[in-house]
Amino acid sequence: MAYTERIKILCSHLKPAKTFADVGCDHGYMSEYMLQKKLCEKLYFSDVSKGSLEKAEKRLAAYVKSGAAVPVLGDGFYGVPKDTQEVLIAGMGGSEIVEILSHETYGFLPGYFVFQPMLDGEKLRRYLLKNGAYLLRDYTFFCGGKPYDCIVGRKKEAGEETQRYSRAELAFGKENVQKRPQEFIALLKKKAGRVQTYLRGENLSERSREELTARYEFLREVIENDCQ
C-alpha cells in the first residue's frame, strides 16, 4: 500500500505497544501500518462514521478475523479500554481531542500518544500540559503546501515537572518557535498579511480592530524572534 506523505509522517511516530487504538480511523491506513509492522498485539480501530468504519474493517478483515483488531463504531474513546497503552488521533480538531480525553465516562490520558489536530492546537497543548502529559515532539509538517500540527507525547513520570511553554510555544508549537523552520515562518507571514488586510477594512468595530491589532503584533513578534 502506497501511503500519502501525511500518513507516512504520522506513522513514523508510532512505536511498539501491547495495545493500540486508532480513534477516528477513517480508512484504517495507520491501523494497517501498526498491524503489518507487528507493532502491537491488540488494536482497536474506531470511527463515529459507519461508512468509514466499514472501509477500515474491509481493509483489516484478516486481522479482525484473527482477533488482533477490534472494530468499534462510536464516538471518541467509546469501546476503547482505558488501559490502552498507545493512541493515535489524527484529523480532528484540537477541541474535539480535548473532549475525547476529558470525557467523564470514557476519557483517559494514554501512556503514549500521537495527535494531529487540524485546528485549536493551542487548546490541546494547554490541556495536555495541565493534565499529566509530557510532550516529546510538538511541530508542524507540510504536505503539498498544507500545514499539519503534530503533537507526540506520553504520561509524565512520577516526580517529573510540568514543561514550561511560552505564549508563542503554546500558540504555535515549541519546535516551531525554537527552531524557526522556513516553511513555518512563511506561514506566519501569510497569517500576518491576512490580518493586515482585515485591518484595512472600513467597517471594523473598535473592539475588532483592537483584537486584530494585538494579533498582528503577536505574529510580528514571533516572526522577528522577539517573543521569548
Side-chain angles (χ1 to χ4, degrees):
M1 173 65 196
Y3 297 130
T4 65
E5 190 62 26
R6 169 180 167 268
I7 290 176
K8 287 179 183 178
I9 291 171
L10 292 174
C11 284
S12 73
H13 294 298
L14 301 178
K15 68 176 189 175
K18 186 174 182 180
T19 52
F20 174 86
D22 182 358
V23 177
C25 65
D26 197 24
H27 288 66
Y29 295 124
M30 287 174 277
S31 290
E32 181 182 54
Y33 175 89
M34 284 291 290
L35 292 162
Q36 286 185 344
K37 297 293 183 180
K38 298 181 179 180
L39 294 177
C40 64
E41 297 177 18
K42 191 83 170 185
L43 181 145
Y44 299 86
F45 61 103
S46 71
D47 206 288
V48 71
S49 164
K50 184 179 179 180
S52 291
L53 188 66
E54 287 176 347
K55 291 176 184 177
E57 203 167 351
K58 183 177 180 181
R59 179 176 303 281
L60 306 174
Y63 299 103
V64 172
K65 186 176 181 179
S66 71
V70 179
V72 179
L73 179 62
D75 193 15
F77 280 151
Y78 171 82
V80 176
K82 289 190 176 183
D83 60 355
T84 300
Q85 293 179 350
E86 182 175 349
V87 170
L88 166 73
I89 306 179
M92 294 188 195
S95 294
E96 288 181 89
I97 298 175
V98 169
E99 289 176 4
I100 290 170
L101 298 173
S102 62
H103 192 281
E104 60 181 1
T105 303
Y106 306 115
F108 65 94
L109 180 66
Y112 180 81
F113 55 83
V114 179
F115 298 148
Q116 186 254 296
M118 299 300 290
L119 297 167
D120 300 327
E122 179 174 354
K123 182 175 181 178
L124 178 56
R125 291 184 188 95
R126 288 184 182 277
Y127 177 86
L128 290 169
L129 293 170
K130 289 180 180 179
N131 289 275
Y134 187 94
L135 306 188
L136 301 167
R137 296 293 310 274
D138 182 5
Y139 71 106
T140 301
F141 64 88
F142 292 78
C143 293
K146 186 174 181 180
Y148 296 93
D149 283 351
C150 184
I151 302 174
V152 182
R154 57 167 171 78
K155 280 185 177 179
K156 284 196 306 180
E157 298 174 357
E160 193 169 24
E161 292 185 3
T162 299
Q163 290 166 290
R164 295 179 181 274
Y165 261 57
S166 68
R167 179 190 173 197
E169 290 166 350
L170 282 169
F172 303 115
K174 184 176 283 288
E175 290 181 50
N176 292 327
V177 173
Q178 293 188 350
K179 297 181 179 181
R180 300 175 56 77
Q182 185 176 355
E183 284 182 304
F184 168 68
I185 298 302
L187 176 65
L188 292 193
K189 288 180 178 178
K190 186 180 293 185
K191 289 177 181 288
R194 286 200 295 264
V195 174
Q196 282 186 310
T197 298
Y198 296 143
L199 280 169
R200 287 194 287 267
E202 297 180 356
N203 298 318
L204 283 176
S205 67
E206 184 177 347
R207 180 177 178 180
S208 294
R209 189 171 297 279
E210 288 176 355
E211 290 175 349
L212 286 168
T213 299
R215 175 66 175 171
Y216 175 76
E217 289 301 320
F218 178 46
L219 287 167
R220 184 190 58 78
E221 288 173 4
V222 180
I223 292 167
E224 296 178 2
N225 201 21
D226 190 28
C227 57
Q228 300 294 338

